[in-house]
């Protein structure tokens, strides 16, 4: 700006800001700075004193002056509810409010501007309750937090005053039914760097909250939305598969994650697909969730049998998976049942079709990077076309509990009561005698052990009860490439 510039065209505001505030690094925050630079702003020679004076002169002139000040010396930033940073910012404001309440006295030391701000709006005082319910087993808990409500607030952050305006629009997002919302934060132009700090803090806070947790995304309309609070990671050891099966899958996924640059250098789509099949209650879903936790990934779950999930939505969702997130498509056999319907009239209707599923898996619309797990209880309904590199690279059957799994599960529940393993031996003998090996699901066994928690003798006594409701192996044996059948693993 001070450089001699004969051109009559003044530098654009964003060029000016770029000079003042070089955008550093390639982290997410530079994009918020980008938003910031996109906002109209003007440099000014006025200082904070002008604001204070204007306030003292009277409300009328304050109102008149406000628009002038706004244009002259303020900078604002707007975040819409669709932005990833929106919930982080709400979280930050909630925590900030809490700490402000704790140190309410401090504000009075800040001199005239503090007391002015106190008088206008001492602190965030329109709060909104946000309730998250979580259900784990039979217990249900609710977590309440107070988030800054709609309306206008003034925050004092360090030496900066920030005017916060959270607005709810009258219009709704048609796909989710959620009203449009924005937060606009305004501060003095000379304090614009404060936004960078706030977003960095908000991001940090958000990350801390998720440490050791797995975020589970569900589809909400056409968006992935976190489902409840992030869940505590389920330890991988708590999943008991046949010897070696777990390790094989884990190694494969880890090798894939490590090979990222290899794929990208060669222009190969960086995708890997896994198919887990087998009867219900054999740990397919729980294993994938535990695996996500182990890899420090989040998980995005779509049920193909879900009502209203059609081809376009499926491929849209798969193209918008959040970063570091495993996709879990449950019950994919449903798509195969719908094959005819699409062939007949070309219209796929309200369900996912076979071709819709394949298109979503390898169509141009699907995201560049992806780890996807498919599950089904009915492998015989699937088609060989699914088994292609990038669609499904590895197929694993999780079957009914083998002797090894039964023993391991026993140890998980009763190791402390059955140090010598005598109870385990008797239990296994009884299981064998009743012909239950490879016929009951791990879930059914877990049920028995949970019922007889702390009581190994009770479990031994009740084991024949498993014969009544057990799931027998029904699917015909299908040979699929890359196939690991737990019964083949010695
Ligand atoms: N192999 C296993 N190891 C540990 N827990 C299991 C196993 N299989 C099933 N379970 C338990 O049984 C319940 C149902 O398992 P789930 O993963 O939903 O089975 P699936 O998806 O195969 O139908 C869960 O509570 C899970 O903890
Ligand atoms: Mg399941």
């Amino acid at each position: 700006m001070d450089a001699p510039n004969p051109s009559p065209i003044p530098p654009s505001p964003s060029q000016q800001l770029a000079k003042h505030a070089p955008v550093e690094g390639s982290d997410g925050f530079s994009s918020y700075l980008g938003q910031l630079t996109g906002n109209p702003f003007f440099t000014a020679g006025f200082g904070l004193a002008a604001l204070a004076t204007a306030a003292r002169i009277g409300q009328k002139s304050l109102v008149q002056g406000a628009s002038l000040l706004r244009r002259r010396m303020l900078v604002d930033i707007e975040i819409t509810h669709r932005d990833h940073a929106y919930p982080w910012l709400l979280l930050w404001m909630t925590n900030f409010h809490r700490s402000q309440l704790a140190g309410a006295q401090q504000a009075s030391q800040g001199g005239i501007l503090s007391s002015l701000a106190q008088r206008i709006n001492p602190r965030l005082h329109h709060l909104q309750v946000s309730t998250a319910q979580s259900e784990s087993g039979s217990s249900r808990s609710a977590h309440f937090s107070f988030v800054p409500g709609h309306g206008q607030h003034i925050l004092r952050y360090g030496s900066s005053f920030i005017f916060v305006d959270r607005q709810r629009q009258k219009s709704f997002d048609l796909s989710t039914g959620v009203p449009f919302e924005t937060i606009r934060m305004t501060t003095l132009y000379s304090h614009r760097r404060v936004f960078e700090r706030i977003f960095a803090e908000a991001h940090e806070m958000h990350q801390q909250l998720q440490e050791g947790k797995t975020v589970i995304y569900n589809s909400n309309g056409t968006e992935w939305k976190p489902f409840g609070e992030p869940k505590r990671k389920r330890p991988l050891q708590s999943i008991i598969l046949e010897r070696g099966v777990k390790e094989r899958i884990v190694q494969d996924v880890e090798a894939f994650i490590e090979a990222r640059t290899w794929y990208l250098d060669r222009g190969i789509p960086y995708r890997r697909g896994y198919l887990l099949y087998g009867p219900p209650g054999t740990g397919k879903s729980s294993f994938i969730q535990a695996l996500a936790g182990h890899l420090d990934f989040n998980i995005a779950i779509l049920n193909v049998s879900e009502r209203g999930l059609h081809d376009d939505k499926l491929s849209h969702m798969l193209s918008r998976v959040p970063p570091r997130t495993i996709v879990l498509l449950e019950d994919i056999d449903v798509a195969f049942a719908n094959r005819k319907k699409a062939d007949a009239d070309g219209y796929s209707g309200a369900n996912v079709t076979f071709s819709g599923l394949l298109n979503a898996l390898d169509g141009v619309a699907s995201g560049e990077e992806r780890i996807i797990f498919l599950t089904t209880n009915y492998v015989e309904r699937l088609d060989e076309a699914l088994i292609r590199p990038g669609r499904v690279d590895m197929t694993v059957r999780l079957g009914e509990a083998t002797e090894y799994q039964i023993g391991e599960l026993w140890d998980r529940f009763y190791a402390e009561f059955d140090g010598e393993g005598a109870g385990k031996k008797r239990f296994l003998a009884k299981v064998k005698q009743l012909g239950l090996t490879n016929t009951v699901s791990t879930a059914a066994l877990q049920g028995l052990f949970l019922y007889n928690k702390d009581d190994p003798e009770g479990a031994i006594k009740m084991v024949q009860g498993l014969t009544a409701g057990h799931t027998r192996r029904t699917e015909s044996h299908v040979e699929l490439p890359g196939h690991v059948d737990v019964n083949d693993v010695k």
Side-chain angles (χ1 to χ4, degrees):
M1 281 141 278
D2 39 21
N5 187 359
S7 152
I9 306 159
S12 78
S14 55
Q15 281 169 335
Q16 286 186 35
L17 185 73
K19 275 198 173 173
H20 282 286
V23 178
E24 293 160 28
S26 58
D27 56 285
F29 302 110
S30 48
S31 64
Y32 299 114
L33 254 182
Q35 282 190 18
L36 187 108
T37 57
N39 271 300
F41 70 93
F42 298 87
T43 55
F46 297 103
L48 275 173
L51 181 62
T53 316
R56 250 183 279 127
I57 289 168
Q59 253 209 307
K60 200 174 157 218
S61 54
L62 182 67
V63 172
Q64 284 173 347
S67 72
L68 181 74
L69 287 173
R70 237 187 118 64
R71 276 183 288 120
R72 278 294 165 110
M73 48 187 290
L74 302 177
V75 53
D76 59 29
I77 183 164
E78 189 182 82
I79 301 99
T80 73
H81 79 285
R82 302 182 79 108
D83 196 285
H84 288 304
Y86 192 84
W88 309 348
L89 196 62
L90 280 187
L91 175 74
W92 180 87
M93 292 211 285
T94 306
N95 283 4
F96 190 81
H97 167 247
R98 231 179 258 149
S99 61
Q100 248 195 354
L101 277 186
Q105 292 327 95
Q106 275 178 307
S108 58
Q109 299 159 5
I112 180 160
L113 272 168
S114 282
S115 56
L116 176 71
Q118 287 264 332
R119 220 173 308 139
I120 303 172
N121 188 343
R123 52 186 79 102
L124 303 181
H125 57 199
H126 317 280
L127 296 179
Q128 203 179 42
V129 175
S130 148
T131 310
Q133 278 208 352
S134 55
E135 223 168 317
S136 47
S138 56
S139 78
R140 186 182 256 210
S141 66
H143 176 75
F144 298 100
S145 58
F146 295 96
V147 295
H150 300 95
Q152 302 171 340
H153 318 278
I154 289 181
L155 290 178
R156 180 167 174 243
Y157 178 79
S159 60
S160 312
F161 285 89
I162 300 158
F163 180 72
V164 181
D165 189 8
R166 181 175 174 202
Q167 286 299 338
R168 173 174 286 183
Q169 256 91 65
K170 291 213 171 66
S171 49
F172 286 77
D173 186 334
L174 283 178
S175 61
T176 58
V178 176
F180 285 115
E181 279 194 13
T182 54
I183 294 177
R184 180 186 289 271
M185 297 172 97
T186 309
T187 196
L188 287 174
Y189 179 72
S190 54
H191 289 204
R192 63 196 178 281
R193 286 298 188 94
V194 78
F195 291 141
E196 226 176 315
R197 290 223 302 277
I198 289 176
F199 279 104
E201 271 182 27
H203 182 69
E204 173 110 338
M205 228 171 237
H206 167 81
Q207 294 228 313
Q208 272 173 11
L209 202 74
Q210 297 195 344
E211 221 159 54
K213 307 248 172 93
T214 310
V215 179
I216 300 185
Y217 294 98
N218 273 168
S219 76
N220 179 347
T222 50
E223 301 280 328
W224 291 108
K225 280 271 166 330
F227 176 69
E229 299 277 297
K231 306 265 179 309
R232 244 190 77 201
K233 282 180 183 171
R234 177 169 179 160
L236 206 49
Q237 311 93 274
S238 78
I239 308 289
I240 295 156
L241 305 184
E242 177 54 349
R243 205 182 265 122
V245 172
K246 204 162 55 179
E247 290 72 15
R248 219 167 137 168
I249 305 174
V250 173
Q251 271 164 24
D252 191 276
V253 183
E254 284 177 342
F256 173 72
I257 291 171
E258 297 231 316
R260 186 168 189 276
T261 43
W262 188 93
Y263 278 82
L264 298 183
D265 287 350
R266 284 158 186 79
I268 304 170
Y270 183 53
R271 298 177 195 158
R272 197 144 181 98
Y274 300 83
L275 170 66
L276 301 192
Y277 72 96
T282 50
K284 298 182 291 296
S285 308
S286 357
F287 168 67
I288 298 162
Q289 295 198 21
L291 177 70
H294 172 78
L295 299 168
D296 208 13
F297 269 56
N298 294 321
I299 189 160
I301 305 178
L302 258 190
N303 208 315
V304 178
S305 60
E306 179 187 300
R307 275 183 69 129
L309 179 65
H310 48 78
D311 291 354
D312 290 345
K313 183 172 160 187
L314 176 68
S315 81
H316 174 79
M317 298 304 284
L318 287 195
S319 67
R320 313 198 39 156
V321 176
R324 268 192 100 73
T325 300
I326 287 181
V327 182
L328 168 54
L329 280 191
E330 298 262 37
D331 293 340
I332 53 156
D333 51 275
V334 172
F336 293 82
N338 294 328
R339 181 200 304 244
K340 282 219 182 68
K341 200 167 144 198
D343 286 350
D345 51 13
Y347 170 64
S348 53
N351 294 97
V352 173
T353 65
F354 175 64
S355 61
L357 177 67
L358 294 190
N359 279 338
L361 287 179
D362 54 14
V364 270
S366 51
E368 258 311 297
E369 309 192 4
R370 190 181 60 210
I371 298 175
I372 192 163
F373 275 83
L374 313 175
T375 71
T376 179
N377 296 334
Y378 306 99
V379 72
E380 71 279 4
R381 295 184 189 166
L382 307 189
D383 193 290
E384 291 278 335
L386 201 60
I387 317 298
R388 293 256 176 84
R391 286 183 187 159
V392 169
D393 302 275
M394 189 178 192
T395 305
V396 182
R397 174 175 191 273
L398 302 191
E400 290 85 353
T402 61
E403 192 170 342
Y404 169 79
Q405 283 174 289
I406 299 172
E408 290 283 302
L409 205 61
W410 173 277
D411 287 342
R412 274 202 73 80
F413 277 84
Y414 302 125
E416 53 181 313
F417 307 100
D418 187 31
E420 304 286 294
K424 177 159 123 181
K425 238 183 226 154
R426 278 192 289 131
F427 184 76
L428 286 176
K430 202 158 171 198
V431 162
K432 221 179 229 168
Q433 182 201 337
L434 292 163
L436 292 178
T437 327
N438 299 320
T439 47
V440 291
S441 69
T442 15
L445 267 172
Q446 177 182 282
L448 173 75
F449 293 165
L450 275 175
Y451 188 85
N452 295 288
K453 202 167 154 289
D454 307 340
D455 180 14
E457 289 306 321
I460 297 174
K461 235 177 263 153
M462 283 179 65
V463 64
Q464 50 263 59
L466 286 178
T467 49
H470 77 245
T471 44
R472 205 162 261 293
R473 205 176 147 169
T474 46
E475 80 258 21
S476 54
H477 192 80
V478 190
E479 263 314 325
L480 298 167
H483 182 271
V484 187
D485 194 312
V486 290
N487 301 320
D488 297 340
V489 181
K490 290 275 136 48

